[in-house]
Amino acid sequence: MRYIFVTLMAILLPFAGATAKVRPDTMMLHKIYSFASTVDTTGLQGTRTYAYHRFEISIPKRNITLMAVPTMYGIANREARTFVGEFYDRVDIEGYGKLKTQRLLEINTIPHRRRTLTTLQKYLMPEIYDVTMISGNLLSPFHRGNKKFYKMKFAFMLDGTVKITFKPTINNTQLVEGSALVDYETGRVISTEFKGEYDMIHFHLQMNMGDTGFKAALPVDCQLDGQFNFMGSKTTCKYHAFYDLNTEVPDSLNRSYDREWMEKVRPEPLPDNIKPLVDEYLAKQEQKDRERQADTIPHPKKVNMAKTIFWDILGDHLLNRTRGTFGSKDQGQFRIGPILNPLYLDYSQRKGITYKFDIRASYNFTPNRDFTIRFKSGYRFKLKQLYFNIPIRFNYNKRRHAFFAIDINDGQRIYSSEILNEVKDETVVDTMQWDKLQLDYFRDTYMKVYNNYDISDYWSFEVGFTFHNRRPVNPAAFELFGKPKYYRSAAPRMEWQYRPWGWEGPVFTLDYERSFNKFMKSNTSYERWEIDGSYIHRMKSLSSFSMRLGAGLYTVKEGRQYFLDFTNFRENNIPGGWNDDWSGEFELLRSSWYNSSKYYVRSNVTYESPLLLSSWIPWAGHFIEMERIYFSLLSVTNLHPYVECGYGFTTRWLSVGSFVSNKNGKFDGIGFKFGFELFRKW
């Protein structure tokens, strides 16, 4: 027996040694994936440093469509075709990927010192060890969760480094191609360069990483070559950024074009193609300053009023966002969306084309206290319906998420068939054309006043009032049949919110609302309860499950109540919002089904991934950024159940969704939705 055992060990030991041996490339990958976890980031928070950038933007081909591109209007209608500049920022690091910057020095030849192609700034500080490298996009080849998306080759050098080349397994806009030089012992990326194409920007990025400590996870310099093509226009750009600089500059300069200070902070001389343009610009600015101080301008330059008003003012505001600040220390900010912008258009089969407009403003009193107001308006062409929403919020203790808020809504159309049915029962005329009377459509003016306070990271409490004034679209018909001209409710309400895992986990809410007859001129009385649970489970490589489960019912209804308005079919209960506008909703179902029922039980699930189904289609799959599968289930009066399934995807131009519905086990219909994505991330 002993001889048999020895013989078996002699046979198996060589195989055991072979299986225990790890391939060098596999071991190298493990070091790269694990390097970020070895970086000590404890000294990162509270660090102050400085950064220098220079750029060159050229427009070899240009047409009128370039003026419609965000931030490009200022250079789209000028004689010059090349614009250059440099700037110096103070950077306060609040954590990995959390930077607060202040512009101290700036020299650029763009008219009115405007900023253009600002979307490229995010490419100059990639977070290469995260799942995504640039603002939640571009899957990193240096993260373990993205291993299946890249093919890698290794070349081991004699100097203790490894040259890695990587290519995507499929041709998709979320993936990049390039190479990296890596330290063999630690797996630290010494330098890397990669190219790709995302959101209409073709780019080639080169960077050198820091050496030790938390700086090893950040670049010390970064070069970007980019190209942007749009409707026949062609724009090229070159950026070079230097980080971890230590030349201090007074805060009082505040975007100054001071030549002496810029020469002090500039880490290397300007290239020969940029220096003459910068010198010419500075000479003109210094001449203007001398003339302004001496007040010796003999003949003011004649202003072309047509160009100034129509091109510089009206054109800019029609096609671009308007931003600004106010207050002695720029505590106030405002932003007005462009008037002509495809981003504010969307379409659904039921509502048709909707145009939206957006204005927002804020004022910071202290880091813990601010005031915000927003005006959101829209017009639905198919329904000839104008509506608006004005949310106002005063955050008096942001650390506790404590705020007082007022939400005002007007113009929303709601539907109730109960009044129409009641009128039909009371009327003896059989030839009445009920459809033309529009007795089932109402305009709802809604206001919510409430105060919220977070008792802890796990519990929130909200108390306030809701007011509804529902007016018929055709008030003359209501007078004809002796019905009220308005249906008003005033209801105190409370909401409890529980987050068992804190802010990163599921959210459970319990809503209670009670309206009393004759309270604040109310002619409606009811008591309503709703419970809702929502959760976004985030997985690797941007994949996630969005889940929602809820129920509601009316426990008190005095008399005939025509409007049963459930809050959780109108409000978003996920802090920070869903990943897209269609998750957690019923896209094909009219609101009259659940707002005429005394109860509801609902469930919504969405699965999304950047590389799911359509991304693998040749050519067309390259442009698909995110795909989603929707499943929704609802049980209300006369619907047991309602089922809705859908599939959608997002590209740089559009978000498209198709949905199929089933009522009580029978096919009900199919519908489509789309929304513009063009320049949304700019």
Side-chain angles (χ1 to χ4, degrees), residues 415-427:
Y415 176 91
S416 176
S417 61
E418 299 214 3
I419 298 177
L420 175 60
N421 295 333
E422 185 178 308
V423 171
K424 287 181 178 180
D425 293 340
E426 297 171 353
T427 305

Side-chain angles (χ1 to χ4, degrees), residues 116-130:
T116 191
L117 280 178
T118 51
T119 186
L120 291 177
Q121 293 295 315
K122 59 191 178 186
Y123 288 80
L124 296 172
M125 182 62 83
E127 299 167 5
I128 65 171
Y129 295 108
D130 280 0

Side-chain angles (χ1 to χ4, degrees), residues 495-512:
E495 178 183 292
W496 296 266
Q497 189 175 98
Y498 176 53
R499 300 173 293 273
W501 302 343
W503 291 103
E504 301 301 322
V507 178
F508 298 96
T509 60
L510 176 64
D511 279 277
Y512 173 78

Side-chain angles (χ1 to χ4, degrees), residues 618-632:
W619 187 79
H622 168 78
F623 302 100
I624 295 176
E625 299 173 5
M626 188 66 70
E627 299 176 72
R628 300 179 178 93
I629 297 175
Y630 305 92
F631 178 80
S632 300

Side-chain angles (χ1 to χ4, degrees), residues 136-137 139 148-149 174 535-547 577-584 605-613 615 624-631 646-650 655 677:
N137 301 297
L139 297 170
K148 63 180 178 180
F149 300 129
Q174 289 275 18
Y535 179 47
I536 299 179
H537 177 62
R538 305 188 188 278
M539 299 176 290
K540 61 183 180 181
S541 303
L542 295 182
S543 298
S544 67
F545 268 107
S546 301
M547 296 165 279
W578 299 96
N579 292 341
D580 78 311
D581 293 335
W582 303 335
S583 291
V605 178
T606 301
Y607 174 72
E608 69 174 10
S609 173
L611 299 162
L612 186 60
L613 301 172
S615 302
I624 295 176
E625 299 173 5
M626 188 66 70
E627 299 176 72
R628 300 179 178 93
I629 297 175
Y630 305 92
F631 178 80
Y647 168 78
F649 60 83
T650 298
S655 282
E677 296 291 333

Side-chain angles (χ1 to χ4, degrees), residues 52-55 221-224 238-242 268:
Y52 168 88
H53 297 71
R54 68 166 181 257
F55 67 86
D221 74 89
C222 187
Q223 296 184 65
L224 171 68
K238 295 180 182 291
Y239 280 81
H240 199 166
F242 297 85
E268 66 178 30

Side-chain angles (χ1 to χ4, degrees), residues 464-520:
F465 289 88
T466 58
F467 304 90
H468 284 274
N469 187 26
R470 301 172 176 96
R471 294 157 292 164
V473 172
N474 186 2
F478 272 70
E479 285 189 71
L480 178 65
F481 292 105
K483 296 297 180 183
K485 291 184 179 180
Y486 66 85
Y487 296 85
R488 184 176 294 154
S489 65
R493 64 180 301 272
M494 290 184 289
E495 178 183 292
W496 296 266
Q497 189 175 98
Y498 176 53
R499 300 173 293 273
W501 302 343
W503 291 103
E504 301 301 322
V507 178
F508 298 96
T509 60
L510 176 64
D511 279 277
Y512 173 78
E513 188 171 294
R514 181 71 162 96
S515 177
F516 299 92
N517 221 351
K518 298 182 180 180
F519 174 67
M520 300 182 70

